[in-house]
Amino acid sequence: MESKRQQKFAGVIQQDLAAIFQREGMNFLPNTLITITKVRTTPDLAIARVFLSFFNTANAEQALQTIKLHASEIRYKLGRQIKDQVRVIPQLEFFVDDTSDYVNRMDKIFDKIHKDENEQ
């Protein structure tokens, strides 16, 4: 369970990273929309785990690797924005948010169950 402090800090990071990806995301991944679905921070606020969703890309894992290559540059830009609000700029760890894939998979299962019930 995250503390209020962690949640507030994660919200600040999410907003500022979203602004960075909106302004400069095309430099990292042309023709790809990058959204930040959630941010989780460690209790000491030293690490921020950022969950990303990619739209208009064929391979999300390859897109994630590209973002990871630019992680230090992204952290630097984040640091310039939040330096007056925090003591330490957190290390950024990026992950693919597979929630939409999970939802699609569950929808297919429920559709199949519903179809099987109607056939009986």
Side-chain angles (χ1 to χ4, degrees):
M1 189 73 187
E2 285 185 313
S3 68
K4 291 279 189 195
R5 182 172 174 232
Q6 285 175 279
Q7 291 173 354
K8 185 175 180 182
F9 187 62
V12 168
I13 291 173
Q14 185 170 359
Q15 283 182 328
D16 290 335
L17 281 178
I20 290 169
F21 282 125
Q22 186 177 18
R23 279 193 321 266
E24 302 176 28
M26 290 297 174
N27 296 338
F28 307 130
L29 295 166
N31 301 321
T32 301
L33 177 65
I34 305 166
T35 57
I36 301 169
T37 55
K38 64 184 162 191
V39 175
R40 301 277 186 232
T41 60
T42 56
D44 63 355
L45 307 179
I47 299 172
R49 292 180 178 94
V50 181
F51 294 86
L52 303 172
S53 181
F54 300 97
F55 297 99
N56 199 24
T57 185
N59 188 347
E61 287 299 323
Q62 184 178 1
L64 179 66
Q65 293 306 318
T66 302
I67 294 298
K68 285 183 178 181
L69 288 174
H70 295 282
S72 61
E73 179 183 349
I74 295 167
R75 181 175 182 246
Y76 174 76
K77 290 177 182 185
L78 175 68
R80 287 192 317 179
Q81 289 185 350
I82 66 171
K83 68 180 181 221
D84 297 329
Q85 302 171 35
V86 297
R87 289 185 204 160
V88 176
I89 308 302
Q91 290 293 327
L92 301 175
E93 295 178 355
F94 295 101
F95 301 94
V96 172
D97 184 14
D98 59 354
T99 304
S100 62
D101 294 337
Y102 177 76
V103 168
N104 289 337
R105 196 169 44 243
M106 294 305 290
D107 281 342
K108 288 178 184 177
I109 291 170
F110 288 132
D111 287 344
K112 184 178 179 191
I113 291 170
H114 183 68
K115 182 180 172 186
D116 290 344
E117 287 177 354
N118 286 343
E119 290 178 358
Q120 292 179 1

